[in-house]
Amino acid sequence: MTKPLLLIVDDEKPSREGLRAALEDRYDVYVAEDAESAQRLLEEQHFEVLITDLRMPKASGLDLIKR
């Protein structure tokens, strides 16, 4: 059985890695450090779940969700 794909977007590495560690048993986890990197991943994969920081440099998590 394949795990659902999850994308975690956060500019703070400890937050990204903490979420990855907590969720990797149930999800196939991808991480991105900013909205631009996340957008590239979203163009390549279909993620069932997106967890994003709202306050990030350049583009907010809300901007990412709107895309």
Side-chain angles (χ1 to χ4, degrees):
M1 184 171 175
T2 57
K3 297 178 188 178
L5 294 180
L6 164 67
L7 176 57
I8 298 168
V9 187
D10 197 315
D11 59 321
E12 296 180 13
K13 186 175 181 177
S15 296
R16 284 193 313 268
E17 295 306 319
L19 284 167
R20 178 201 304 256
L23 297 169
E24 65 187 353
D25 289 343
R26 290 177 279 168
Y27 295 92
D28 188 4
V29 179
Y30 288 68
V31 295
E33 63 185 24
D34 55 35
E36 185 178 299
S37 300
Q39 186 61 39
R40 284 194 298 272
L41 287 169
L42 287 165
E43 291 169 1
E44 298 171 4
Q45 292 285 343
H46 172 75
F47 293 92
E48 285 82 16
V49 181
L50 170 66
I51 298 175
T52 183
D53 186 0
L54 292 178
R55 294 186 210 144
M56 295 184 289
K58 299 181 187 175
S60 73
L62 218 45
D63 294 333
L64 179 62
I65 291 168
K66 288 177 185 176
R67 288 189 207 165

